[in-house]
Each structure stands twice: as C-alpha cells, then as structure tokens.
Amino acid sequence: MPETSKVIYSDFDNMFITNPITKSLNKKINRDAVKQAVKNLILTDFGERLFNTDIGCSVRGYLFEPFTGYLQEQIKESIYTTIRNYEPRANIIDCLVEDRIDLNAISVTVAFEIVNDPEAIVLDVILERVR
C-alpha cells in the first residue's frame, strides 16, 4: 500500500480560500488534486484559457443536441482525448454518459486511476442545460 503522508501532487483549491492562521491559500494534494484537475478539464471549453486556447473539452457544445447513442460516444471520445492529452497523472478506466431528462442535464461519470496509485477514483459531473 502506498504511503499516504507523502505529497506527490498538489494544486491550489479552486475555491481560493485562505488558511485563517497562515494566510496562505489552501491546496489540494494527491488524489484530490488530480480529481479537481480532471473535473476542470471536462468543464473547460476550447479558448477559455487565455494563453492555452487549445486546452479544453467540447462537451458543453453537445448539451443542446438531441441525445442519441452517437452523441454519447462523441462525448466519451472527447473526454478520453482531453484527459489523455492534458492530464498525464490520470489513466481513464471507464467513462459513462447518461441523459438526465428530469434535470435537463447530462451526467458524466469518469473512473480513473492515478499514476503510482492503484486505487480507482470515480468522478461525477453534471452538465446542465441553462437557458
């Protein structure tokens, strides 16, 4: 079993909350850092990052299309490609895309493992159609 006290990966927390004692930004480490990075990649559109306009995943562009098996495969392929290209710390095991008609959304579940950590992580993301 890997040693959990050893910090291998670290990123800033997306909430940008400071520690009340040290006044420094909180950070995510190891599993939480990679999970946050994968979620950020899925939710980022092309062109959103100012100096890295080629980074992103085009899943938001699919939200207003009729949900079919073909669209489901396109979303999966987009997620696989994005994570494979831009997140070397994660290896995707599986991706499940479901239509959530009751929520007017698409549910994405990504199972992946971190390099040097055999335990799988499951990430659930809800992509909502907002008008």
Side-chain angles (χ1 to χ4, degrees), residues 62-97:
Y62 298 127
L63 284 177
F64 292 97
E65 300 293 326
F67 193 80
T68 62
Y70 178 70
L71 181 71
Q72 185 178 14
E73 290 302 317
Q74 281 184 314
I75 293 172
K76 277 186 189 180
E77 186 57 37
S78 178
I79 291 170
Y80 273 104
T81 302
T82 300
I83 295 173
R84 191 178 319 118
N85 290 341
Y86 300 112
E87 187 50 72
R89 304 176 290 183
N91 295 322
I92 295 183
I93 299 169
D94 196 17
C95 180
L96 177 64
V97 178

PDB file of all heavy atoms in Angstrom, residues 62-97:
ATOM      1  N   TYR A  62     -22.202  20.017 -26.889  1.00  0.00           N
ATOM      2  CA  TYR A  62     -23.131  18.913 -27.153  1.00  0.00           C
ATOM      3  C   TYR A  62     -24.409  19.000 -26.323  1.00  0.00           C
ATOM      4  O   TYR A  62     -25.326  18.217 -26.521  1.00  0.00           O
ATOM      5  CB  TYR A  62     -22.465  17.567 -26.848  1.00  0.00           C
ATOM      6  CG  TYR A  62     -21.260  17.262 -27.698  1.00  0.00           C
ATOM      7  CD1 TYR A  62     -20.048  16.912 -27.114  1.00  0.00           C
ATOM      8  CD2 TYR A  62     -21.326  17.306 -29.079  1.00  0.00           C
ATOM      9  CE1 TYR A  62     -18.943  16.615 -27.878  1.00  0.00           C
ATOM     10  CE2 TYR A  62     -20.220  17.015 -29.855  1.00  0.00           C
ATOM     11  CZ  TYR A  62     -19.033  16.668 -29.248  1.00  0.00           C
ATOM     12  OH  TYR A  62     -17.940  16.374 -30.008  1.00  0.00           O
ATOM     13  N   LEU A  63     -24.479  19.925 -25.391  1.00  0.00           N
ATOM     14  CA  LEU A  63     -25.601  19.948 -24.449  1.00  0.00           C
ATOM     15  C   LEU A  63     -26.955  20.172 -25.109  1.00  0.00           C
ATOM     16  O   LEU A  63     -27.962  19.670 -24.640  1.00  0.00           O
ATOM     17  CB  LEU A  63     -25.373  21.018 -23.381  1.00  0.00           C
ATOM     18  CG  LEU A  63     -24.361  20.665 -22.308  1.00  0.00           C
ATOM     19  CD1 LEU A  63     -24.172  21.834 -21.364  1.00  0.00           C
ATOM     20  CD2 LEU A  63     -24.789  19.436 -21.549  1.00  0.00           C
ATOM     21  N   PHE A  64     -27.012  20.942 -26.175  1.00  0.00           N
ATOM     22  CA  PHE A  64     -28.301  21.258 -26.786  1.00  0.00           C
ATOM     23  C   PHE A  64     -28.602  20.403 -28.011  1.00  0.00           C
ATOM     24  O   PHE A  64     -29.540  20.673 -28.751  1.00  0.00           O
ATOM     25  CB  PHE A  64     -28.361  22.756 -27.123  1.00  0.00           C
ATOM     26  CG  PHE A  64     -28.383  23.600 -25.891  1.00  0.00           C
ATOM     27  CD1 PHE A  64     -27.222  24.171 -25.395  1.00  0.00           C
ATOM     28  CD2 PHE A  64     -29.561  23.780 -25.180  1.00  0.00           C
ATOM     29  CE1 PHE A  64     -27.236  24.929 -24.245  1.00  0.00           C
ATOM     30  CE2 PHE A  64     -29.588  24.538 -24.024  1.00  0.00           C
ATOM     31  CZ  PHE A  64     -28.417  25.115 -23.558  1.00  0.00           C
ATOM     32  N   GLU A  65     -27.808  19.362 -28.221  1.00  0.00           N
ATOM     33  CA  GLU A  65     -28.061  18.412 -29.300  1.00  0.00           C
ATOM     34  C   GLU A  65     -28.996  17.317 -28.791  1.00  0.00           C
ATOM     35  O   GLU A  65     -29.016  17.015 -27.595  1.00  0.00           O
ATOM     36  CB  GLU A  65     -26.748  17.776 -29.763  1.00  0.00           C
ATOM     37  CG  GLU A  65     -25.729  18.763 -30.300  1.00  0.00           C
ATOM     38  CD  GLU A  65     -26.180  19.402 -31.581  1.00  0.00           C
ATOM     39  OE1 GLU A  65     -26.854  18.742 -32.386  1.00  0.00           O
ATOM     40  OE2 GLU A  65     -25.865  20.592 -31.770  1.00  0.00           O
ATOM     41  N   PRO A  66     -29.780  16.707 -29.686  1.00  0.00           N
ATOM     42  CA  PRO A  66     -30.615  15.570 -29.259  1.00  0.00           C
ATOM     43  C   PRO A  66     -29.719  14.419 -28.778  1.00  0.00           C
ATOM     44  O   PRO A  66     -28.748  14.066 -29.435  1.00  0.00           O
ATOM     45  CB  PRO A  66     -31.371  15.173 -30.521  1.00  0.00           C
ATOM     46  CG  PRO A  66     -31.211  16.305 -31.464  1.00  0.00           C
ATOM     47  CD  PRO A  66     -29.987  17.052 -31.073  1.00  0.00           C
ATOM     48  N   PHE A  67     -30.053  13.867 -27.629  1.00  0.00           N
ATOM     49  CA  PHE A  67     -29.215  12.825 -27.036  1.00  0.00           C
ATOM     50  C   PHE A  67     -29.461  11.498 -27.738  1.00  0.00           C
ATOM     51  O   PHE A  67     -30.538  10.922 -27.655  1.00  0.00           O
ATOM     52  CB  PHE A  67     -29.492  12.697 -25.535  1.00  0.00           C
ATOM     53  CG  PHE A  67     -28.467  11.881 -24.821  1.00  0.00           C
ATOM     54  CD1 PHE A  67     -27.249  12.435 -24.471  1.00  0.00           C
ATOM     55  CD2 PHE A  67     -28.700  10.556 -24.512  1.00  0.00           C
ATOM     56  CE1 PHE A  67     -26.289  11.695 -23.817  1.00  0.00           C
ATOM     57  CE2 PHE A  67     -27.750   9.798 -23.863  1.00  0.00           C
ATOM     58  CZ  PHE A  67     -26.537  10.372 -23.509  1.00  0.00           C
ATOM     59  N   THR A  68     -28.458  11.017 -28.440  1.00  0.00           N
ATOM     60  CA  THR A  68     -28.507   9.731 -29.140  1.00  0.00           C
ATOM     61  C   THR A  68     -27.278   8.920 -28.753  1.00  0.00           C
ATOM     62  O   THR A  68     -26.391   9.422 -28.059  1.00  0.00           O
ATOM     63  CB  THR A  68     -28.515   9.945 -30.667  1.00  0.00           C
ATOM     64  OG1 THR A  68     -27.293  10.600 -31.046  1.00  0.00           O
ATOM     65  CG2 THR A  68     -29.708  10.775 -31.115  1.00  0.00           C
ATOM     66  N   GLY A  69     -27.221   7.703 -29.214  1.00  0.00           N
ATOM     67  CA  GLY A  69     -26.057   6.865 -28.959  1.00  0.00           C
ATOM     68  C   GLY A  69     -24.800   7.443 -29.589  1.00  0.00           C
ATOM     69  O   GLY A  69     -23.705   7.359 -29.031  1.00  0.00           O
ATOM     70  N   TYR A  70     -24.955   8.053 -30.758  1.00  0.00           N
ATOM     71  CA  TYR A  70     -23.822   8.664 -31.444  1.00  0.00           C
ATOM     72  C   TYR A  70     -23.284   9.845 -30.636  1.00  0.00           C
ATOM     73  O   TYR A  70     -22.074  10.000 -30.484  1.00  0.00           O
ATOM     74  CB  TYR A  70     -24.241   9.109 -32.849  1.00  0.00           C
ATOM     75  CG  TYR A  70     -23.149   9.786 -33.622  1.00  0.00           C
ATOM     76  CD1 TYR A  70     -22.052   9.067 -34.089  1.00  0.00           C
ATOM     77  CD2 TYR A  70     -23.193  11.151 -33.884  1.00  0.00           C
ATOM     78  CE1 TYR A  70     -21.032   9.681 -34.787  1.00  0.00           C
ATOM     79  CE2 TYR A  70     -22.188  11.774 -34.584  1.00  0.00           C
ATOM     80  CZ  TYR A  70     -21.111  11.036 -35.036  1.00  0.00           C
ATOM     81  OH  TYR A  70     -20.104  11.654 -35.720  1.00  0.00           O
ATOM     82  N   LEU A  71     -24.178  10.680 -30.127  1.00  0.00           N
ATOM     83  CA  LEU A  71     -23.759  11.824 -29.314  1.00  0.00           C
ATOM     84  C   LEU A  71     -23.071  11.345 -28.037  1.00  0.00           C
ATOM     85  O   LEU A  71     -22.068  11.920 -27.609  1.00  0.00           O
ATOM     86  CB  LEU A  71     -24.955  12.707 -28.960  1.00  0.00           C
ATOM     87  CG  LEU A  71     -24.628  13.943 -28.139  1.00  0.00           C
ATOM     88  CD1 LEU A  71     -23.875  14.957 -28.986  1.00  0.00           C
ATOM     89  CD2 LEU A  71     -25.877  14.548 -27.562  1.00  0.00           C
ATOM     90  N   GLN A  72     -23.592  10.296 -27.446  1.00  0.00           N
ATOM     91  CA  GLN A  72     -22.997   9.724 -26.242  1.00  0.00           C
ATOM     92  C   GLN A  72     -21.554   9.297 -26.509  1.00  0.00           C
ATOM     93  O   GLN A  72     -20.659   9.563 -25.711  1.00  0.00           O
ATOM     94  CB  GLN A  72     -23.838   8.532 -25.783  1.00  0.00           C
ATOM     95  CG  GLN A  72     -23.427   7.921 -24.500  1.00  0.00           C
ATOM     96  CD  GLN A  72     -24.356   6.776 -24.091  1.00  0.00           C
ATOM     97  OE1 GLN A  72     -25.144   6.281 -24.883  1.00  0.00           O
ATOM     98  NE2 GLN A  72     -24.255   6.364 -22.856  1.00  0.00           N
ATOM     99  N   GLU A  73     -21.317   8.654 -27.639  1.00  0.00           N
ATOM    100  CA  GLU A  73     -19.957   8.228 -27.997  1.00  0.00           C
ATOM    101  C   GLU A  73     -19.053   9.419 -28.297  1.00  0.00           C
ATOM    102  O   GLU A  73     -17.865   9.390 -27.976  1.00  0.00           O
ATOM    103  CB  GLU A  73     -19.998   7.272 -29.195  1.00  0.00           C
ATOM    104  CG  GLU A  73     -20.591   5.922 -28.865  1.00  0.00           C
ATOM    105  CD  GLU A  73     -19.851   5.214 -27.741  1.00  0.00           C
ATOM    106  OE1 GLU A  73     -18.599   5.216 -27.730  1.00  0.00           O
ATOM    107  OE2 GLU A  73     -20.523   4.667 -26.846  1.00  0.00           O
ATOM    108  N   GLN A  74     -19.587  10.476 -28.893  1.00  0.00           N
ATOM    109  CA  GLN A  74     -18.797  11.678 -29.159  1.00  0.00           C
ATOM    110  C   GLN A  74     -18.340  12.328 -27.853  1.00  0.00           C
ATOM    111  O   GLN A  74     -17.190  12.768 -27.740  1.00  0.00           O
ATOM    112  CB  GLN A  74     -19.596  12.690 -29.970  1.00  0.00           C
ATOM    113  CG  GLN A  74     -19.672  12.383 -31.438  1.00  0.00           C
ATOM    114  CD  GLN A  74     -20.399  13.499 -32.183  1.00  0.00           C
ATOM    115  OE1 GLN A  74     -21.449  13.955 -31.745  1.00  0.00           O
ATOM    116  NE2 GLN A  74     -19.831  13.912 -33.289  1.00  0.00           N
ATOM    117  N   ILE A  75     -19.238  12.410 -26.891  1.00  0.00           N
ATOM    118  CA  ILE A  75     -18.894  12.998 -25.596  1.00  0.00           C
ATOM    119  C   ILE A  75     -17.818  12.153 -24.906  1.00  0.00           C
ATOM    120  O   ILE A  75     -16.834  12.685 -24.379  1.00  0.00           O
ATOM    121  CB  ILE A  75     -20.144  13.142 -24.700  1.00  0.00           C
ATOM    122  CG1 ILE A  75     -21.103  14.176 -25.302  1.00  0.00           C
ATOM    123  CG2 ILE A  75     -19.759  13.524 -23.277  1.00  0.00           C
ATOM    124  CD1 ILE A  75     -22.446  14.244 -24.613  1.00  0.00           C
ATOM    125  N   LYS A  76     -17.993  10.837 -24.922  1.00  0.00           N
ATOM    126  CA  LYS A  76     -16.997   9.944 -24.318  1.00  0.00           C
ATOM    127  C   LYS A  76     -15.637  10.140 -24.972  1.00  0.00           C
ATOM    128  O   LYS A  76     -14.619  10.257 -24.284  1.00  0.00           O
ATOM    129  CB  LYS A  76     -17.419   8.481 -24.483  1.00  0.00           C
ATOM    130  CG  LYS A  76     -18.369   7.973 -23.478  1.00  0.00           C
ATOM    131  CD  LYS A  76     -18.554   6.479 -23.719  1.00  0.00           C
ATOM    132  CE  LYS A  76     -19.654   5.914 -22.885  1.00  0.00           C
ATOM    133  NZ  LYS A  76     -19.825   4.473 -23.112  1.00  0.00           N
ATOM    134  N   GLU A  77     -15.602  10.155 -26.289  1.00  0.00           N
ATOM    135  CA  GLU A  77     -14.341  10.285 -27.020  1.00  0.00           C
ATOM    136  C   GLU A  77     -13.680  11.633 -26.727  1.00  0.00           C
ATOM    137  O   GLU A  77     -12.455  11.716 -26.592  1.00  0.00           O
ATOM    138  CB  GLU A  77     -14.554  10.116 -28.519  1.00  0.00           C
ATOM    139  CG  GLU A  77     -13.280  10.095 -29.320  1.00  0.00           C
ATOM    140  CD  GLU A  77     -12.313   9.007 -28.890  1.00  0.00           C
ATOM    141  OE1 GLU A  77     -12.762   7.901 -28.526  1.00  0.00           O
ATOM    142  OE2 GLU A  77     -11.092   9.268 -28.920  1.00  0.00           O
ATOM    143  N   SER A  78     -14.478  12.679 -26.618  1.00  0.00           N
ATOM    144  CA  SER A  78     -13.947  13.998 -26.295  1.00  0.00           C
ATOM    145  C   SER A  78     -13.304  14.001 -24.911  1.00  0.00           C
ATOM    146  O   SER A  78     -12.221  14.566 -24.716  1.00  0.00           O
ATOM    147  CB  SER A  78     -15.065  15.034 -26.373  1.00  0.00           C
ATOM    148  OG  SER A  78     -14.603  16.298 -26.031  1.00  0.00           O
ATOM    149  N   ILE A  79     -13.947  13.362 -23.949  1.00  0.00           N
ATOM    150  CA  ILE A  79     -13.406  13.290 -22.589  1.00  0.00           C
ATOM    151  C   ILE A  79     -12.136  12.444 -22.556  1.00  0.00           C
ATOM    152  O   ILE A  79     -11.126  12.840 -21.961  1.00  0.00           O
ATOM    153  CB  ILE A  79     -14.474  12.751 -21.612  1.00  0.00           C
ATOM    154  CG1 ILE A  79     -15.586  13.784 -21.446  1.00  0.00           C
ATOM    155  CG2 ILE A  79     -13.860  12.375 -20.269  1.00  0.00           C
ATOM    156  CD1 ILE A  79     -16.802  13.284 -20.709  1.00  0.00           C
ATOM    157  N   TYR A  80     -12.159  11.283 -23.210  1.00  0.00           N
ATOM    158  CA  TYR A  80     -10.971  10.435 -23.267  1.00  0.00           C
ATOM    159  C   TYR A  80      -9.795  11.192 -23.868  1.00  0.00           C
ATOM    160  O   TYR A  80      -8.690  11.173 -23.324  1.00  0.00           O
ATOM    161  CB  TYR A  80     -11.236   9.179 -24.120  1.00  0.00           C
ATOM    162  CG  TYR A  80     -11.834   8.018 -23.370  1.00  0.00           C
ATOM    163  CD1 TYR A  80     -13.179   7.711 -23.500  1.00  0.00           C
ATOM    164  CD2 TYR A  80     -11.056   7.214 -22.560  1.00  0.00           C
ATOM    165  CE1 TYR A  80     -13.738   6.630 -22.834  1.00  0.00           C
ATOM    166  CE2 TYR A  80     -11.595   6.123 -21.885  1.00  0.00           C
ATOM    167  CZ  TYR A  80     -12.937   5.850 -22.034  1.00  0.00           C
ATOM    168  OH  TYR A  80     -13.477   4.781 -21.372  1.00  0.00           O
ATOM    169  N   THR A  81     -10.019  11.852 -24.995  1.00  0.00           N
ATOM    170  CA  THR A  81      -8.947  12.557 -25.693  1.00  0.00           C
ATOM    171  C   THR A  81      -8.382  13.692 -24.839  1.00  0.00           C
ATOM    172  O   THR A  81      -7.172  13.860 -24.747  1.00  0.00           O
ATOM    173  CB  THR A  81      -9.459  13.116 -27.029  1.00  0.00           C
ATOM    174  OG1 THR A  81      -9.967  12.041 -27.811  1.00  0.00           O
ATOM    175  CG2 THR A  81      -8.361  13.819 -27.794  1.00  0.00           C
ATOM    176  N   THR A  82      -9.256  14.459 -24.223  1.00  0.00           N
ATOM    177  CA  THR A  82      -8.811  15.591 -23.420  1.00  0.00           C
ATOM    178  C   THR A  82      -7.974  15.139 -22.230  1.00  0.00           C
ATOM    179  O   THR A  82      -6.901  15.692 -21.977  1.00  0.00           O
ATOM    180  CB  THR A  82     -10.019  16.408 -22.929  1.00  0.00           C
ATOM    181  OG1 THR A  82     -10.744  16.876 -24.055  1.00  0.00           O
ATOM    182  CG2 THR A  82      -9.582  17.582 -22.084  1.00  0.00           C
ATOM    183  N   ILE A  83      -8.444  14.146 -21.509  1.00  0.00           N
ATOM    184  CA  ILE A  83      -7.703  13.683 -20.332  1.00  0.00           C
ATOM    185  C   ILE A  83      -6.400  13.001 -20.745  1.00  0.00           C
ATOM    186  O   ILE A  83      -5.361  13.189 -20.111  1.00  0.00           O
ATOM    187  CB  ILE A  83      -8.581  12.776 -19.453  1.00  0.00           C
ATOM    188  CG1 ILE A  83      -9.736  13.609 -18.881  1.00  0.00           C
ATOM    189  CG2 ILE A  83      -7.775  12.139 -18.334  1.00  0.00           C
ATOM    190  CD1 ILE A  83     -10.768  12.817 -18.143  1.00  0.00           C
ATOM    191  N   ARG A  84      -6.442  12.234 -21.810  1.00  0.00           N
ATOM    192  CA  ARG A  84      -5.236  11.567 -22.300  1.00  0.00           C
ATOM    193  C   ARG A  84      -4.175  12.597 -22.714  1.00  0.00           C
ATOM    194  O   ARG A  84      -2.995  12.420 -22.446  1.00  0.00           O
ATOM    195  CB  ARG A  84      -5.583  10.665 -23.483  1.00  0.00           C
ATOM    196  CG  ARG A  84      -4.467   9.730 -23.888  1.00  0.00           C
ATOM    197  CD  ARG A  84      -4.861   8.800 -25.039  1.00  0.00           C
ATOM    198  NE  ARG A  84      -6.205   8.266 -24.935  1.00  0.00           N
ATOM    199  CZ  ARG A  84      -7.171   8.497 -25.840  1.00  0.00           C
ATOM    200  NH1 ARG A  84      -6.944   9.239 -26.889  1.00  0.00           N
ATOM    201  NH2 ARG A  84      -8.358   7.965 -25.687  1.00  0.00           N
ATOM    202  N   ASN A  85      -4.598  13.703 -23.341  1.00  0.00           N
ATOM    203  CA  ASN A  85      -3.650  14.699 -23.838  1.00  0.00           C
ATOM    204  C   ASN A  85      -3.155  15.674 -22.778  1.00  0.00           C
ATOM    205  O   ASN A  85      -2.010  16.120 -22.845  1.00  0.00           O
ATOM    206  CB  ASN A  85      -4.274  15.498 -24.983  1.00  0.00           C
ATOM    207  CG  ASN A  85      -4.448  14.668 -26.226  1.00  0.00           C
ATOM    208  OD1 ASN A  85      -3.820  13.629 -26.402  1.00  0.00           O
ATOM    209  ND2 ASN A  85      -5.327  15.113 -27.102  1.00  0.00           N
ATOM    210  N   TYR A  86      -4.005  16.044 -21.827  1.00  0.00           N
ATOM    211  CA  TYR A  86      -3.667  17.148 -20.941  1.00  0.00           C
ATOM    212  C   TYR A  86      -3.549  16.799 -19.465  1.00  0.00           C
ATOM    213  O   TYR A  86      -3.228  17.680 -18.664  1.00  0.00           O
ATOM    214  CB  TYR A  86      -4.698  18.272 -21.106  1.00  0.00           C
ATOM    215  CG  TYR A  86      -4.742  18.793 -22.509  1.00  0.00           C
ATOM    216  CD1 TYR A  86      -5.852  18.573 -23.309  1.00  0.00           C
ATOM    217  CD2 TYR A  86      -3.662  19.471 -23.059  1.00  0.00           C
ATOM    218  CE1 TYR A  86      -5.896  19.033 -24.610  1.00  0.00           C
ATOM    219  CE2 TYR A  86      -3.691  19.935 -24.359  1.00  0.00           C
ATOM    220  CZ  TYR A  86      -4.812  19.710 -25.124  1.00  0.00           C
ATOM    221  OH  TYR A  86      -4.840  20.165 -26.414  1.00  0.00           O
ATOM    222  N   GLU A  87      -3.810  15.576 -19.081  1.00  0.00           N
ATOM    223  CA  GLU A  87      -3.651  15.189 -17.681  1.00  0.00           C
ATOM    224  C   GLU A  87      -2.857  13.886 -17.592  1.00  0.00           C
ATOM    225  O   GLU A  87      -3.428  12.792 -17.519  1.00  0.00           O
ATOM    226  CB  GLU A  87      -5.016  15.035 -16.995  1.00  0.00           C
ATOM    227  CG  GLU A  87      -4.933  14.811 -15.498  1.00  0.00           C
ATOM    228  CD  GLU A  87      -4.052  15.810 -14.791  1.00  0.00           C
ATOM    229  OE1 GLU A  87      -4.448  16.970 -14.658  1.00  0.00           O
ATOM    230  OE2 GLU A  87      -2.946  15.413 -14.355  1.00  0.00           O
ATOM    231  N   PRO A  88      -1.521  13.992 -17.597  1.00  0.00           N
ATOM    232  CA  PRO A  88      -0.696  12.776 -17.589  1.00  0.00           C
ATOM    233  C   PRO A  88      -0.732  12.015 -16.264  1.00  0.00           C
ATOM    234  O   PRO A  88      -0.301  10.871 -16.203  1.00  0.00           O
ATOM    235  CB  PRO A  88       0.711  13.316 -17.866  1.00  0.00           C
ATOM    236  CG  PRO A  88       0.670  14.729 -17.426  1.00  0.00           C
ATOM    237  CD  PRO A  88      -0.733  15.207 -17.658  1.00  0.00           C
ATOM    238  N   ARG A  89      -1.279  12.631 -15.215  1.00  0.00           N
ATOM    239  CA  ARG A  89      -1.334  11.955 -13.911  1.00  0.00           C
ATOM    240  C   ARG A  89      -2.479  10.960 -13.820  1.00  0.00           C
ATOM    241  O   ARG A  89      -2.526  10.160 -12.898  1.00  0.00           O
ATOM    242  CB  ARG A  89      -1.486  12.991 -12.792  1.00  0.00           C
ATOM    243  CG  ARG A  89      -0.401  14.041 -12.781  1.00  0.00           C
ATOM    244  CD  ARG A  89      -0.636  15.082 -11.724  1.00  0.00           C
ATOM    245  NE  ARG A  89      -1.776  15.929 -12.059  1.00  0.00           N
ATOM    246  CZ  ARG A  89      -2.169  16.965 -11.338  1.00  0.00           C
ATOM    247  NH1 ARG A  89      -1.505  17.290 -10.226  1.00  0.00           N
ATOM    248  NH2 ARG A  89      -3.209  17.688 -11.701  1.00  0.00           N
ATOM    249  N   ALA A  90      -3.430  11.000 -14.769  1.00  0.00           N
ATOM    250  CA  ALA A  90      -4.627  10.153 -14.698  1.00  0.00           C
ATOM    251  C   ALA A  90      -4.680   9.189 -15.879  1.00  0.00           C
ATOM    252  O   ALA A  90      -4.387   9.561 -17.016  1.00  0.00           O
ATOM    253  CB  ALA A  90      -5.874  11.024 -14.693  1.00  0.00           C
ATOM    254  N   ASN A  91      -5.077   7.962 -15.590  1.00  0.00           N
ATOM    255  CA  ASN A  91      -5.340   6.945 -16.617  1.00  0.00           C
ATOM    256  C   ASN A  91      -6.810   6.565 -16.521  1.00  0.00           C
ATOM    257  O   ASN A  91      -7.254   6.023 -15.505  1.00  0.00           O
ATOM    258  CB  ASN A  91      -4.479   5.692 -16.397  1.00  0.00           C
ATOM    259  CG  ASN A  91      -3.010   5.977 -16.553  1.00  0.00           C
ATOM    260  OD1 ASN A  91      -2.608   6.748 -17.416  1.00  0.00           O
ATOM    261  ND2 ASN A  91      -2.199   5.365 -15.717  1.00  0.00           N
ATOM    262  N   ILE A  92      -7.563   6.837 -17.585  1.00  0.00           N
ATOM    263  CA  ILE A  92      -9.005   6.572 -17.556  1.00  0.00           C
ATOM    264  C   ILE A  92      -9.260   5.069 -17.618  1.00  0.00           C
ATOM    265  O   ILE A  92      -8.699   4.362 -18.440  1.00  0.00           O
ATOM    266  CB  ILE A  92      -9.719   7.261 -18.722  1.00  0.00           C
ATOM    267  CG1 ILE A  92      -9.607   8.770 -18.590  1.00  0.00           C
ATOM    268  CG2 ILE A  92     -11.181   6.866 -18.767  1.00  0.00           C
ATOM    269  CD1 ILE A  92     -10.332   9.522 -19.656  1.00  0.00           C
ATOM    270  N   ILE A  93     -10.138   4.621 -16.741  1.00  0.00           N
ATOM    271  CA  ILE A  93     -10.596   3.233 -16.746  1.00  0.00           C
ATOM    272  C   ILE A  93     -11.881   3.128 -17.555  1.00  0.00           C
ATOM    273  O   ILE A  93     -12.010   2.271 -18.421  1.00  0.00           O
ATOM    274  CB  ILE A  93     -10.825   2.722 -15.300  1.00  0.00           C
ATOM    275  CG1 ILE A  93      -9.517   2.786 -14.521  1.00  0.00           C
ATOM    276  CG2 ILE A  93     -11.415   1.330 -15.315  1.00  0.00           C
ATOM    277  CD1 ILE A  93      -9.682   2.557 -13.035  1.00  0.00           C
ATOM    278  N   ASP A  94     -12.844   4.001 -17.254  1.00  0.00           N
ATOM    279  CA  ASP A  94     -14.135   3.961 -17.942  1.00  0.00           C
ATOM    280  C   ASP A  94     -14.806   5.322 -17.853  1.00  0.00           C
ATOM    281  O   ASP A  94     -14.504   6.121 -16.962  1.00  0.00           O
ATOM    282  CB  ASP A  94     -15.037   2.897 -17.316  1.00  0.00           C
ATOM    283  CG  ASP A  94     -16.222   2.536 -18.184  1.00  0.00           C
ATOM    284  OD1 ASP A  94     -16.198   2.844 -19.394  1.00  0.00           O
ATOM    285  OD2 ASP A  94     -17.183   1.957 -17.662  1.00  0.00           O
ATOM    286  N   CYS A  95     -15.716   5.552 -18.779  1.00  0.00           N
ATOM    287  CA  CYS A  95     -16.491   6.791 -18.800  1.00  0.00           C
ATOM    288  C   CYS A  95     -17.929   6.434 -19.141  1.00  0.00           C
ATOM    289  O   CYS A  95     -18.187   5.694 -20.089  1.00  0.00           O
ATOM    290  CB  CYS A  95     -15.907   7.752 -19.834  1.00  0.00           C
ATOM    291  SG  CYS A  95     -16.781   9.307 -19.943  1.00  0.00           S
ATOM    292  N   LEU A  96     -18.857   6.948 -18.353  1.00  0.00           N
ATOM    293  CA  LEU A  96     -20.277   6.681 -18.552  1.00  0.00           C
ATOM    294  C   LEU A  96     -20.986   8.011 -18.750  1.00  0.00           C
ATOM    295  O   LEU A  96     -20.849   8.921 -17.933  1.00  0.00           O
ATOM    296  CB  LEU A  96     -20.845   5.947 -17.337  1.00  0.00           C
ATOM    297  CG  LEU A  96     -22.330   5.635 -17.340  1.00  0.00           C
ATOM    298  CD1 LEU A  96     -22.672   4.667 -18.460  1.00  0.00           C
ATOM    299  CD2 LEU A  96     -22.755   5.066 -16.008  1.00  0.00           C
ATOM    300  N   VAL A  97     -21.753   8.128 -19.845  1.00  0.00           N
ATOM    301  CA  VAL A  97     -22.502   9.347 -20.153  1.00  0.00           C
ATOM    302  C   VAL A  97     -23.972   8.985 -20.211  1.00  0.00           C
ATOM    303  O   VAL A  97     -24.361   8.080 -20.942  1.00  0.00           O
ATOM    304  CB  VAL A  97     -22.039   9.950 -21.500  1.00  0.00           C
ATOM    305  CG1 VAL A  97     -22.843  11.184 -21.830  1.00  0.00           C
ATOM    306  CG2 VAL A  97     -20.559  10.257 -21.467  1.00  0.00           C
TER     307      VAL A  97
END
